[in-house]
Amino acid sequence: MPSVTLAAPDDFDGWRAAVRTLVARDTPPSAVTWLIAGEAGDLFGEAAPGGDAALPSFTVPKAFLDMAKRVVCNAEPERFALLHAALAQLRTRSKLLDDAADPLVRRLYDLDKGVRRDVHKMRAFVRFREVDATDGERFAAWFEPEHHIVRLNSGFFVRRFAQMRWSILTPELCAHWDTADLSFTPGAAKGDAPQGDPIEAVWKTYYANIFNPARLKIDAMTKEMPKKYWKNLPEAALIPELIAGAAGRTRAMIDTAPRDAPAAATDALGALRADAASCTRCPLYAPATQTVFGEGPADARLMFVGEQPGDQEDLAGRPFVGPAGQVFDRALAQAGIDRTSAYVTNAVKHFKFEPRGKRRIHSKPGAGEIDACRWWIDQERAAIAPAVTVALGAMAARSLTGRVVTISKERGRAIALPDGSELWITVHPSFLLRIEDKAAAAAEFDRFVADLAAVRDRVATLA
Ligand code: URA
């Protein structure tokens, strides 16, 4: 029985080189033993067979290779054999991956999903702490992934924290970035990572502020943020206290609570949100922390569409919670609109930015990114069916109308959308933040409030 020894548990290149030869020689997947160098069982293993120039080559869909790169990182011991079996079939069934009912395809999709989920968790839950260093600032974080994802995920952290010297320590493999080179060393122990510093205090305050008691579903919360991660998260220390206070805080919000949304629409929206969490429709997903999906009741009569999440929204995973969100909240309050009764979302669901030092500077999404993300906004609108949609700014208006819009010409009146509902266009709250002259800023804010009040009245007449 041939056995192949790969250099590491996530050795995609080694698997690919070996499997090309195995498939070309028609070696059945069940006849191959896959081993990892240094792990039990590899004593008698051969090195991975390299590419054999004399063997016939064949092309493989890119989607398969992309998926295989992730599946190889799954902790499932059968992953190499399963991928080998799929590759062997792809030679004669090029559409194999389209057959979601095929048990092998389903299995691979499940393994892929497990890896994506772990990747997402690592992006969401790694918390850097400053380390004592004599040669300048240095940060370290401890994380315990379920799968072999450290190498796969390290590009994200390089892009996201390009100007920072950091290490991510995990039990199996550690990644290190010195602002120029990425390197890897063997696994570490939790005690090697620092256990707390003043940065945590800031993070905890921030978390307490964005914690929404009305959304508290302990089951869902522990699913999304499994308890095993809690011990490494500074904000998790607040959770018991926040849960204890949630009932009181919810009661305080109850007067303004939205009507009960029909269950079907709520389910559809929940399913959309879950799908969007692993969206890769455009390249913006790669450096962003997470998808920032819309929020609000599934039967909202009023929908607001902004441009794209900013730095704070990207970290919090919620739209309009940063400086523009504060202006928006103030204007809504003055216009007599309860934000919790409306659905608030963005035309583009990932934060686009340029790293500058430790800061991330907002950069405008391009037409391709807006078009790619229209998929989500169209589905959000279809699920909610709002009577009135408000475009906040020209970019949102472009996404919703498919044409270039001049706000000054089109604000303050209803524009018919193809589904029979109405679009209203107004300025983006961040436009108000950019006006330096105080009197001019106040006048523009009042115009914004007047636009919102007109929308409020219109929704009341349509309801
Ligand atoms: N600007 C937006 O357009 N959306 C947000 O969510 C935040 C800032």
Side-chain angles (χ1 to χ4, degrees):
M1 174 180 281
S3 78
V4 178
T5 300
L6 299 170
D10 59 344
D11 182 8
F12 173 76
D13 292 337
W15 171 81
R16 177 151 81 162
V19 83
R20 272 195 69 226
T21 308
L22 294 166
V23 171
R25 287 182 184 153
D26 278 330
T27 310
S30 56
V32 183
T33 308
W34 295 90
L35 302 167
I36 311 292
E39 288 186 2
D42 83 323
L43 288 179
F44 307 104
E46 303 157 5
D52 184 337
L55 292 169
S57 65
F58 54 96
T59 44
V60 174
K62 180 172 176 308
F64 175 75
L65 288 179
D66 289 345
M67 179 173 72
K69 278 183 195 158
R70 291 185 298 267
V71 170
V72 153
C73 300
N74 198 294
E76 164 60 56
E78 291 298 321
R79 63 197 181 279
F80 300 113
L82 293 166
L83 286 167
H84 177 182
L87 191 67
Q89 290 194 34
L90 275 169
R91 271 196 310 179
T92 50
R93 275 181 77 193
S94 62
K95 297 264 184 273
L96 172 72
L97 291 189
D98 295 342
D99 184 359
D102 183 294
L104 175 59
V105 173
R106 271 216 315 269
R107 184 103 170 79
L108 289 175
Y109 281 156
D110 280 350
L111 296 181
D112 186 17
K113 203 161 144 196
V115 171
R116 282 172 187 258
R117 188 174 157 79
D118 210 23
V119 161
H120 170 72
K121 294 268 181 264
M122 183 170 172
R123 292 177 184 189
F125 298 144
V126 155
R127 298 280 182 274
F128 287 105
R129 290 158 168 143
E130 195 156 2
V131 194
D132 268 344
T134 48
D135 59 344
E137 269 185 338
R138 184 177 278 280
F139 296 84
W142 171 254
F143 187 73
E144 293 167 44
E146 272 177 47
H147 302 291
H148 311 288
I149 56 164
V150 173
R151 236 183 298 260
L152 179 75
N153 221 359
S154 53
F156 166 83
F157 291 94
V158 166
R159 290 187 296 272
R160 175 81 166 66
F161 301 103
Q163 309 301 327
M164 225 169 91
R165 294 191 305 160
W166 53 256
S167 294
I168 299 176
L169 311 184
T170 84
E172 181 178 270
L173 186 71
C174 301
H176 312 273
W177 172 249
D178 66 1
T179 72
D181 291 309
L182 179 66
S183 57
F184 297 93
T185 54
K190 186 170 181 199
D192 297 336
Q195 299 299 317
D197 73 13
I199 290 174
E200 287 185 359
V202 177
W203 182 254
K204 279 186 190 171
T205 311
Y206 175 61
Y207 185 77
N209 281 333
I210 61 170
F211 185 89
N212 181 348
R215 292 246 220 92
L216 182 59
K217 292 198 175 62
I218 296 170
D219 283 355
M221 194 162 133
T222 47
K223 193 161 162 237
E224 183 54 31
M225 194 202 268
K227 282 210 167 133
K228 72 173 237 188
Y229 297 107
W230 288 24
K231 58 186 183 299
N232 301 321
L233 299 176
E235 68 271 29
L238 297 177
I239 290 174
E241 188 190 323
L242 290 169
I243 289 176
R249 289 174 69 191
T250 307
R251 239 175 282 119
M253 291 168 71
I254 234 138
D255 284 345
T256 53
R259 294 172 284 150
D260 264 353
T266 306
D267 289 353
L269 211 51
L272 267 185
R273 167 187 287 276
D275 280 357
S278 53
C279 177
T280 55
R281 293 178 65 80
C282 81
L284 293 187
Y285 78 92
T289 305
Q290 58 192 311
T291 305
V292 179
F293 204 66
E295 65 176 21
D299 63 347
R301 307 291 294 142
L302 178 58
M303 177 188 266
F304 289 98
V305 182
E307 183 186 276
Q308 61 151 339
D311 182 79
Q312 294 196 28
E313 287 80 12
D314 170 78
L315 294 171
R318 295 181 53 211
F320 283 105
V321 294
Q326 282 161 25
V327 174
F328 182 48
D329 284 348
R330 203 153 46 85
L332 284 173
Q334 286 199 21
I337 297 174
D338 169 14
R339 175 166 167 170
T340 63
S341 70
Y343 187 83
V344 179
T345 190
N346 282 300
V348 169
K349 306 278 192 267
H350 281 111
F351 178 35
K352 181 171 180 182
F353 61 90
E354 295 288 338
R356 198 160 312 150
K358 278 188 205 156
R359 296 178 59 217
R360 303 186 297 165
I361 309 298
H362 166 282
S363 84
K364 268 209 166 323
E369 289 143 359
I370 299 170
D371 290 346
C373 225
R374 189 171 304 129
W375 165 260
W376 297 115
I377 194 89
D378 284 352
Q379 295 203 64
E380 284 173 297
R381 293 196 65 261
I384 295 163
V388 172
T389 302
V390 181
L392 300 169
M395 205 202 95
R398 184 196 180 289
S399 166
L400 291 159
T401 59
R403 61 183 171 80
V404 175
V405 168
T406 307
I407 295 182
S408 55
K409 286 194 191 144
E410 308 204 33
R411 77 189 288 182
R413 64 183 166 83
I415 296 165
L417 286 171
D419 64 0
S421 69
E422 291 184 1
L423 172 68
W424 289 61
I425 294 172
T426 184
V427 293
H428 190 282
S430 65
F431 159 72
L432 304 171
L433 285 170
R434 289 195 299 269
I435 305 174
E436 283 173 14
D437 180 77
K438 275 195 171 164
E444 277 302 336
F445 180 79
D446 289 347
R447 277 190 81 190
F448 182 47
V449 172
D451 282 352
L452 297 180
V455 161
R456 177 206 60 208
D457 292 346
R458 183 63 184 149
V459 174
T461 61
L462 292 172

